[in-house]
Amino acid sequence: MIPRPDLLSYALTALIGGIGATVAFALAVPAPFLCGPALAVTFAGLLGLRLSIPTLLRNAAFVIVGISMGTSVTPDVIAAAQTWPLSFLAVLATVVVLLYAAYWILRGFGYDRTTAMLGASPGHLSYIISLTAETRSDLATVSVIQSVRVLALTLAVPLIVEYLDLIGLEPAILPAPMHPAILAATVAASLAVGWIFLRWRFPAALLLGGVAVSITTHITGMTSGGVPSWLSQPTYIVLGSLIGTRFSRASLRDMRKAFVAGGVVTIAVMLLASVIAVLVSKLTGVPMNAVMIAFSPGGLETMAAMAVMMHADTAYVGSHHVLRLLFLSVLMPLVMGRDARRKQD
């Protein structure tokens, strides 16, 4: 039985996230069902409210986002992927550039080498937090800096894409939603594949399970259609609310330095990533909206949902973010050296 305080926090989070989405939609905010809840739940958390998302609901949202990404993959997309190798190399170089740029900024704020390196990681938040817990670094500081990055990019990327008029055109004919029975079967298969990926310790395993099943069934013609809006929109609200819950009961006064440092780092890496995205788009011919989202060091699930909402190439965006996370999984222990294996006393 779920403890009453958790039930209350779930209900409160749902209410605040729903209000945030409604207000953002009414104000025509870009990606309203993601940005609105993220902002509303963040403010509520900073006011001291205890907010949280049930693990099962969070996992379900990851699966649905993965399925949504896979529905847009067509044979034409597969053919276009032949032009991506240069882009893949660029995203690996970008990870290194962003990591060390953020590292030196955090060192300038006075943080020790280990805390600065972990706080500087351009992504893979859950992995970085677990790695931080195994070192002598400041876990609270790293958590705040990384959470600020995820929140700021969630809010900034759609604004940049819309301000620069980079939003892809709506399809002339929207794909019909999947039949409920087909959708249920796809979700069940995605959960099974996601569970296997979890056992193999893949990053964002449940999301990748949804992607794998959806791409396979759509490419082969076994299924057709997209995720219905009655399911996709609540999914984005859950993801936005999840981002906001990272600041639940956080103290602005106690963590002021970490908040400022996280903000400065986010601005710096976003500017660098944007410059690189412009160059990659010009060299490869990939539309700027897809490159901008693909090179933004935000959360995989969040950026994947962003690609769907901003009508960007989801296969391009998803593949680059998965590569970024896999690269970080190998890179961070290497750059941390002995610090990555030093247990806390």
Side-chain angles (χ1 to χ4, degrees), residues 53-63 206 238-239 242 246:
I53 295 289
T55 301
L56 287 176
L57 184 59
R58 179 201 66 186
N59 291 344
F62 292 167
V63 171
L206 293 172
V238 170
L239 287 179
L242 178 64
R246 300 188 189 282

Side-chain angles (χ1 to χ4, degrees), residues 51-92:
L51 303 171
S52 58
I53 295 289
T55 301
L56 287 176
L57 184 59
R58 179 201 66 186
N59 291 344
F62 292 167
V63 171
I64 298 303
V65 170
I67 294 173
S68 296
M69 292 177 65
T71 60
S72 65
V73 178
T74 64
D76 291 338
V77 171
I78 301 300
Q82 296 175 9
T83 65
W84 297 350
L86 177 61
S87 186
F88 286 145
L89 291 175
V91 84
L92 296 180

Side-chain angles (χ1 to χ4, degrees), residues 2-310:
I2 301 175
R4 184 174 299 174
D6 287 342
L7 284 174
L8 179 60
S9 72
Y10 296 161
L12 193 58
T13 304
L15 176 62
I16 295 172
I19 292 174
T22 302
V23 173
F25 180 78
L27 296 177
V29 173
F33 299 110
L34 192 66
C35 296
L39 200 55
V41 175
T42 294
F43 280 139
L46 293 175
L47 291 176
L49 296 179
R50 178 179 178 177
L51 303 171
S52 58
I53 295 289
T55 301
L56 287 176
L57 184 59
R58 179 201 66 186
N59 291 344
F62 292 167
V63 171
I64 298 303
V65 170
I67 294 173
S68 296
M69 292 177 65
T71 60
S72 65
V73 178
T74 64
D76 291 338
V77 171
I78 301 300
Q82 296 175 9
T83 65
W84 297 350
L86 177 61
S87 186
F88 286 145
L89 291 175
V91 84
L92 296 180
T94 301
V95 167
V96 177
V97 170
L98 299 187
L99 173 65
Y100 279 97
Y103 169 75
W104 287 113
I105 290 173
L106 293 176
R107 289 288 279 171
F109 273 89
Y111 292 114
D112 62 85
R113 178 187 180 279
T114 309
T115 299
M117 187 61 74
L118 289 164
S121 175
H124 220 335
L125 187 145
S126 58
Y127 172 69
I128 294 302
I129 296 303
S130 63
L131 191 58
T132 303
E134 297 180 354
T135 67
R136 296 179 183 275
S137 54
D138 187 335
L139 178 58
T141 293
V142 172
S143 299
V144 169
I145 291 173
Q146 289 287 344
S147 296
V148 167
R149 172 184 58 81
V150 172
L151 174 65
L153 287 169
T154 300
L155 299 175
V157 170
L159 291 174
I160 293 172
V161 170
E162 179 166 279
Y163 178 76
L164 297 179
D165 196 25
L166 301 175
I167 298 180
L169 297 176
E170 290 276 5
I173 301 177
L174 292 175
M178 291 186 199
H179 186 278
I182 298 297
L183 178 61
T186 302
V187 170
S190 299
L191 287 171
V193 174
W195 179 81
I196 294 173
F197 287 169
L198 278 172
R199 296 293 299 271
W200 291 347
R201 299 185 181 278
F202 278 21
L206 293 172
L207 180 139
L208 293 181
V211 170
V213 170
S214 186
I215 287 178
T216 301
T217 57
H218 279 75
I219 285 289
T220 58
M222 294 173 61
T223 61
S224 62
V227 175
S229 59
W230 60 261
L231 182 59
S232 62
Q233 290 178 0
T235 296
Y236 300 144
I237 293 174
V238 170
L239 287 179
S241 300
L242 178 64
I243 294 168
T245 59
R246 300 188 189 282
F247 297 94
S248 181
R249 291 189 170 182
S251 171
L252 275 172
R253 183 180 61 185
D254 295 342
M255 299 300 295
R256 185 180 304 165
K257 180 181 175 181
F259 274 102
V260 173
V264 172
V265 163
T266 302
I267 292 172
V269 299
M270 192 65 229
L271 288 174
L272 287 171
S274 297
V275 171
I276 296 172
V278 170
L279 294 175
V280 171
S281 180
K282 290 183 178 296
L283 289 173
T284 62
V286 178
M288 185 61 196
N289 64 342
V291 183
M292 179 69 72
I293 299 173
F295 279 68
S296 296
L300 170 59
E301 295 86 1
T302 306
M303 292 297 111
M306 194 80 68
V308 175
M309 286 184 285
M310 309 304 280

